Amino acid sequence: MKTNHLLKSIFTGSLALVSVLTLSTTAFAAKTKIADVSQYQGNINWSKASKDLRMTIIRVKHGNPGDSDYRVDTKRDVNANGAYKYGTPFGQYDYAEFNSTSDAVSDARQFYALSNKHAKFYALDNEKRVGKGSEQSYVNAWYNTMRTLTKKPLVYYSYQNYVNVHKISYSKFNGSWIANYSAKPNVSTDLWQYTSSGSLSGVSGRVDLSRTVDNSTVTKWYTNTPKDTYFTSVSNGQQLRVTRNINRYQTANLTGKKGSVKYNSTVTAKSIARSTSGTYRIQLTDGSYITANKSYIQAK
């Protein structure tokens, strides 16, 4: 009896272990989908969606102020916070409607200012021709502006036909994401958006789904996140550009809020200071303190 009981215990324990391993493997295997989402997916249940997603790409805005169809995505924060809460790596994309190189510069600045600090990478959605100048020059202006704002990966997105018609070169980008629903794109791509009729747990309607072509490159978009860097010195009177909305404070510990500074504004530095924990701050000529993080401030 004791022997039978022991064997039964071992057998039962083995089944339990196999069950746990099976569940774990299944759960891991389920995280294979790559979907891009926007306000058109409505209220996403991120607890459920996260179980399907390897990563997601979230829209921030459509166009630029002044465009007739300009709009900031109403779900950009909800979706970014939901993905982050449930451990889904995410990038964010900017649906652009460039009409000049200066428009591309301001578009990039606004997109970056509205993006979430937890985004792993940023994508330019370049699929609508508006300006009469060189579309390539607009793409270059967006890329060059974004590169001054962030060290995170920059990804180029478009349709196969758009790339071919406008002869777009995106070799400077850290990767490419190309849509073509009939077959694998005939232009260089690392990520292939292959359908607009996919399904995703936690979403009641259809979603765009993509699959990797160059898995190594795509993986780097959300795993090789650069560390924050800080100004360690400034000169008295130096002009700095604010790249995201920030607050001004009474102390170098960033306590005692004194006001706010809107993105793209210019502030004047007085000196470098450090918090009690040693973090670099910038004291402005009015005596207030702001972050010295280069993700929020850049030299003019």
Side-chain angles (χ1 to χ4, degrees):
M1 293 293 292
K2 289 183 179 178
T3 302
N4 290 339
H5 180 71
L6 177 61
L7 289 172
K8 183 177 181 181
S9 298
I10 293 173
F11 180 70
T12 302
S14 298
L15 284 177
L17 178 60
V18 170
S19 178
V20 169
L21 290 174
T22 301
L23 286 172
S24 298
T25 304
T26 301
F28 178 77
K31 291 179 175 289
T32 57
K33 292 186 176 182
I34 299 175
D36 54 282
V37 298
S38 69
Q39 66 189 55
Y40 298 116
Q41 274 65 55
N43 296 318
I44 297 174
N45 184 326
W46 281 100
S47 176
K48 292 181 178 180
S50 64
K51 294 177 173 60
D52 272 1
L53 289 168
R54 170 181 170 179
M55 75 166 185
T56 187
I57 311 174
I58 298 167
R59 190 178 75 160
V60 170
K61 67 183 186 69
H62 180 118
N64 209 25
D67 296 337
S68 60
D69 57 352
Y70 166 71
R71 55 191 175 276
V72 175
D73 197 291
T74 58
K75 298 293 184 180
R76 77 186 195 284
D77 291 331
V78 172
N79 285 335
N81 293 336
Y84 182 71
K85 178 180 178 179
Y86 289 99
T88 299
F90 69 92
Q92 292 190 297
Y93 75 92
D94 175 20
Y95 184 105
E97 296 179 334
F98 302 139
N99 57 48
S100 66
T101 53
S102 61
D103 180 64
V105 170
S106 62
D107 183 289
R109 290 194 177 282
Q110 191 204 31
F111 167 62
Y112 180 75
L114 293 174
S115 67
N116 188 281
K117 65 180 181 180
H118 297 299
K120 299 293 187 179
F121 62 92
Y122 305 103
L124 166 62
D125 182 347
N126 175 224
E127 59 180 275
K128 185 174 181 180
R129 176 78 168 153
V130 178
K132 295 181 179 180
S134 164
E135 191 70 17
Q136 184 69 62
S137 69
Y138 304 156
V139 170
N140 292 346
W142 187 94
Y143 172 88
N144 292 335
T145 302
M146 286 294 293
R147 189 45 76 216
T148 69
L149 296 168
T150 181
K151 294 180 179 179
K152 292 181 180 180
L154 300 177
V155 177
Y156 178 83
Y157 169 89
S158 193
Y159 288 94
Q160 170 187 291
N161 185 61
Y162 194 91
V163 172
N164 285 324
V165 169
H166 300 291
K167 298 179 174 58
I168 303 297
S169 170
Y170 41 88
S171 59
K172 290 184 178 180
F173 286 76
N174 298 102
S176 54
W177 172 31
I178 303 297
N180 195 55
Y181 301 151
S182 60
K184 182 179 175 181
N186 61 19
V187 296
S188 174
T189 187
D190 303 303
L191 184 64
W192 168 24
Q193 187 186 85
Y194 66 92
T195 183
S196 59
S197 302
S199 62
L200 180 68
S201 296
V203 176
S204 58
R206 296 300 180 183
V207 296
D208 298 337
L209 293 180
S210 300
R211 58 171 61 113
T212 59
V213 175
D214 185 332
N215 187 63
S216 176
T217 294
V218 173
T219 300
K220 289 176 183 177
W221 296 351
Y222 61 90
T223 57
N224 288 2
T225 304
K227 294 182 179 180
D228 286 338
T229 57
Y230 291 76
F231 282 96
T232 58
S233 65
V234 292
S235 58
N236 187 10
Q238 182 176 352
Q239 299 288 292
L240 302 171
R241 186 196 303 273
V242 176
T243 59
R244 282 178 165 160
N245 297 338
I246 61 171
N247 293 322
R248 297 184 299 110
Y249 297 90
Q250 294 177 3
T251 74
N253 288 326
L254 302 187
T255 59
K257 182 179 174 182
K258 293 189 69 175
S260 59
V261 187
K262 192 178 186 302
Y263 88 92
N264 217 25
S265 298
T266 298
V267 294
T268 306
K270 178 181 180 182
S271 63
I272 279 288
R274 300 186 81 165
S275 69
T276 53
S277 64
T279 305
Y280 288 97
R281 313 295 192 196
I282 296 173
Q283 184 179 33
L284 303 180
T285 51
D286 66 0
S288 64
Y289 295 84
I290 61 172
T291 179
N293 189 328
K294 291 182 179 180
S295 295
Y296 296 83
I297 302 291
Q298 66 177 177
K300 289 197 70 173

